[in-house]
Each structure stands twice: as C-alpha cells, then as structure tokens.
Amino acid sequence: MPKAAANKDKENDNEDERPTTSYVAEIARILRLEKKLTQVAVGEMTGYTGSAISAMETGAQPVSDKMLVGLEVAIGDRRGFFETARKYVLMEKYPVRFRKFSQVEAEALMLSSYQTMVMDGLFQTESYARAVFKGSYPPVSDARAEELVEARMARKSLFDRDPIAMLELIVEEGVLERPYGSWDVQRGQLLSLAEDAQRDNVSVQVLSKQRGLKGSHAGERGPMKVVETGDHQHVVYMEINDEGILVSNPAKVSRLAQRYAKIRAQALSPDESLELIQRLAGVRKWAPAPCSGSSPVTATAVAGTV
C-alpha cells in the first residue's frame, strides 16, 4: 500500500480514538464510586438521567461540555480536574484533520479567513452549523452532528477572549446567497454575521461575485486562514475535501499571505460589505444604484425570498 494511502487509513482509524475522553470517563466512575453515589444520583446532581451518566462512563456517548461543568461541582469537589479537561475533551470532538489547528486558532493573536463555499465556522450560527453537518457527505449520525455543532459553537469564545484576538473574514458573495437548511436559517446567519461585523475586533468584507469581470480574481485557488500565533509566528491553514494542511514554511506562508492581501484589496470595504449583508438579510432597502458589485436584480430577489 502506498505510504500516503496508509497514512490516510491510519487517520481514519484514529478518528474515533479519544484517550482523554476515555480517561475522564474512568475518573468520573472512580470518583462516583468513592462517594458511594449511583449513576441516577449523579445524574440528578448534574441535570442528566442515570442512563446518560452510564453512557458517559462506558464510552457509549462521549461526555459533553455541559456535563463536565456539572461533574466538577457534583463529584469533582471543585478541584479543577473536570474543568481542566474541558479543552482537551473538546479537541477530541473535532475531526482529526482539524485538531492540531484548533489549538493554533484558540491561541491566535490575529486570524484572517477567506471563505468561498460556506460561512467560516467561527461565524456560523448554531442552526446554520447544524444544517451544514446534517447535509454533509458522507452523512453522519444525529449524535455526531450535534457533537460537531457543540464543538463549533465552543470555538466562538475566541470573539471575547482576553487578550483580545483580531478577527478578519473575507467571504464570497455567493456564500451569502447560498442557503443551508432553509431560508430562515440563512437569514439568521446573515443577521448574526452583520452583528459580528460591528464588533471592535472584527472586520468582515465581501468579495463580489462579479469580481472576475474586472480582469483579476486573486481568490480563485480557494479558501485559506492566515494566522498570527501566540508567539508572533505566522502559519496558513487550508482544508480541501477532508484534508487539512497547516503551512509553516516562511516562504510559502509569505506567498499565501500576499495572495490573501490581494483578495482583501479586491473585496468591498467593511462598510459596503455590512450594507450588502443587511440588505440580503432584509433589514435594509436596496438603493437604486447599490455600491456593491452585485446584481441589483438578483440581490433584491434573494432578499425577498429570505
């Protein structure tokens, strides 16, 4: 078997391996028995059923972040074990390809993202994320979809982290018009994006779908994330068809960062972008001559449908 194929098979085999989650489950069982508590009793103390505690201890259902918070109070005696475990258990909920980058993202000083097909995960609403995961292929179980949604929502803590992280998003106009789940879900996503765009540490820009008519389109090679890490290094993360690529070579990072800078220069300004997002969400009326590069006819139709 070719080495690349073997490595891919190994990654697939490791997808469900969660040593931290298994360790936490065993510690929870040991602490419960030490306190002479039944699974039903711990469930009542944490807001879960006894069956849910049993599923957590046996590994049938991985522990949720909410349950970890409850266990810290119920059987952890507030010593910090379950609280500390939260970020490590969360990491194991991500697909293998994303786990390494998830730590880079969580500690980023600045994150600059360019997206072409779906809304950036950091900016997704819960309903939008759920629609994306449940509509993905190959399909995942409802339980796995909910776990992925929980993990994605937890990433949003970066918006309000101390020290403040600077977040920048450039999104293709087509993403704003492409619904997932329903038009109501899409409208909710647009409204949420408009709110995020007005945060002091966030910049959102839209790249017009007619950009190519101007003779150049720097984003034709696909999405990327350019990150300034906690130690002031720069890396680039790209994800294509379930393959995650983390680039740290300075020369390659420089070339990709230059391409990102060109994409940003070609996009609408933050103010123009916010107006476009609000119009598509239906909270602004279309002016006779929109300042964006989008088609007034198409945009009006989308806003009315949403």
Side-chain angles (χ1 to χ4, degrees):
M1 179 183 294
K3 184 176 181 181
N7 288 341
K8 182 61 178 175
D9 288 343
K10 182 178 180 181
E11 178 178 298
N12 289 335
D13 290 341
N14 291 340
E15 188 74 39
D16 293 326
E17 289 185 8
R18 306 184 185 191
T20 300
T21 302
S22 298
Y23 179 68
V24 168
E26 181 63 13
I27 293 298
R29 186 186 70 84
I30 292 173
L31 292 178
R32 175 181 64 78
L33 293 175
E34 282 184 353
K35 293 179 178 294
K36 297 181 171 28
L37 295 171
T38 65
Q39 292 172 338
V40 172
V42 173
E44 291 176 347
M45 296 167 71
T46 56
Y48 289 89
T49 64
S51 297
I53 299 301
S54 175
M56 177 273 295
E57 291 184 354
T58 60
Q61 180 62 45
V63 62
S64 68
D65 189 64
K66 181 181 177 182
M67 185 180 286
L68 284 171
V69 173
L71 290 172
E72 180 66 35
V73 177
I75 60 176
D77 298 328
R78 299 184 184 275
R79 289 176 292 185
F81 173 77
F82 293 107
E83 180 63 30
T84 302
R86 290 174 65 187
K87 67 176 181 179
Y88 299 104
V89 170
L90 174 64
M91 190 188 307
E92 292 183 344
K93 293 181 180 180
Y94 295 124
V96 170
R97 65 180 180 275
F98 187 75
R99 290 177 186 175
K100 182 177 181 179
F101 178 71
S102 70
Q103 287 300 100
V104 175
E105 179 185 78
E107 299 170 3
L109 297 178
M110 182 169 184
L111 189 150
S112 303
S113 174
Y114 168 57
Q115 297 300 320
T116 62
M117 292 300 297
V118 296
M119 187 58 59
D120 185 283
L122 274 175
F123 290 81
Q124 289 181 11
T125 64
E126 184 174 334
S127 296
Y128 184 97
R130 183 172 290 108
V132 169
F133 286 128
K134 288 194 172 183
S136 66
Y137 189 87
V140 297
S141 67
D142 287 346
R144 177 57 176 156
E146 290 304 314
E147 188 177 51
L148 289 167
V149 170
E150 178 189 16
R152 180 155 291 180
M153 293 302 101
R155 291 167 56 197
K156 286 181 171 290
S157 62
L158 187 60
F159 281 101
D160 302 304
R161 192 198 65 193
D162 185 16
I164 293 175
M166 303 305 295
L167 306 176
E168 185 176 86
L169 170 65
I170 304 172
V171 60
E172 288 277 351
E173 185 179 0
V175 173
L176 307 180
E177 300 177 347
R178 183 179 300 113
Y180 281 86
S182 71
W183 286 111
D184 285 339
V185 169
Q186 184 68 10
R187 184 170 188 272
Q189 177 61 68
L190 292 172
L191 292 172
S192 176
L193 180 62
E195 290 182 5
D196 287 335
Q198 297 175 74
R199 291 172 177 261
D200 290 338
N201 63 323
V202 174
S203 173
V204 175
Q205 292 178 257
V206 177
L207 187 61
S208 171
K209 60 188 177 185
Q210 295 191 24
R211 174 64 217 179
L213 296 177
K214 296 184 180 295
S216 66
H217 190 306
E220 96 286 354
R221 298 191 188 183
M224 71 172 91
K225 293 175 184 279
V226 182
V227 183
E228 181 181 356
T229 66
D231 56 356
H232 302 286
Q233 300 298 310
H234 291 83
V235 297
V236 175
Y237 179 73
M238 297 174 287
E239 193 169 291
I240 305 172
N241 278 317
D242 298 334
E243 294 289 342
I245 304 171
L246 188 60
V247 181
S248 58
N249 178 279
K252 293 180 179 180
V253 169
S254 177
R255 185 177 69 250
L256 291 167
Q258 290 174 35
R259 182 177 298 156
Y260 178 87
K262 186 64 173 180
I263 295 171
R264 180 173 54 202
Q266 293 179 345
L268 301 177
S269 72
D271 288 343
E272 291 172 329
S273 299
L274 177 58
E275 288 185 8
L276 175 59
I277 294 166
Q278 291 175 328
R279 285 169 180 157
L280 288 172
V283 298
R284 276 179 180 261
K285 293 183 178 180
W286 283 94
C291 60
S292 77
S294 62
S295 166
V297 175
T298 301
T300 302
V302 172
T305 306
V306 171

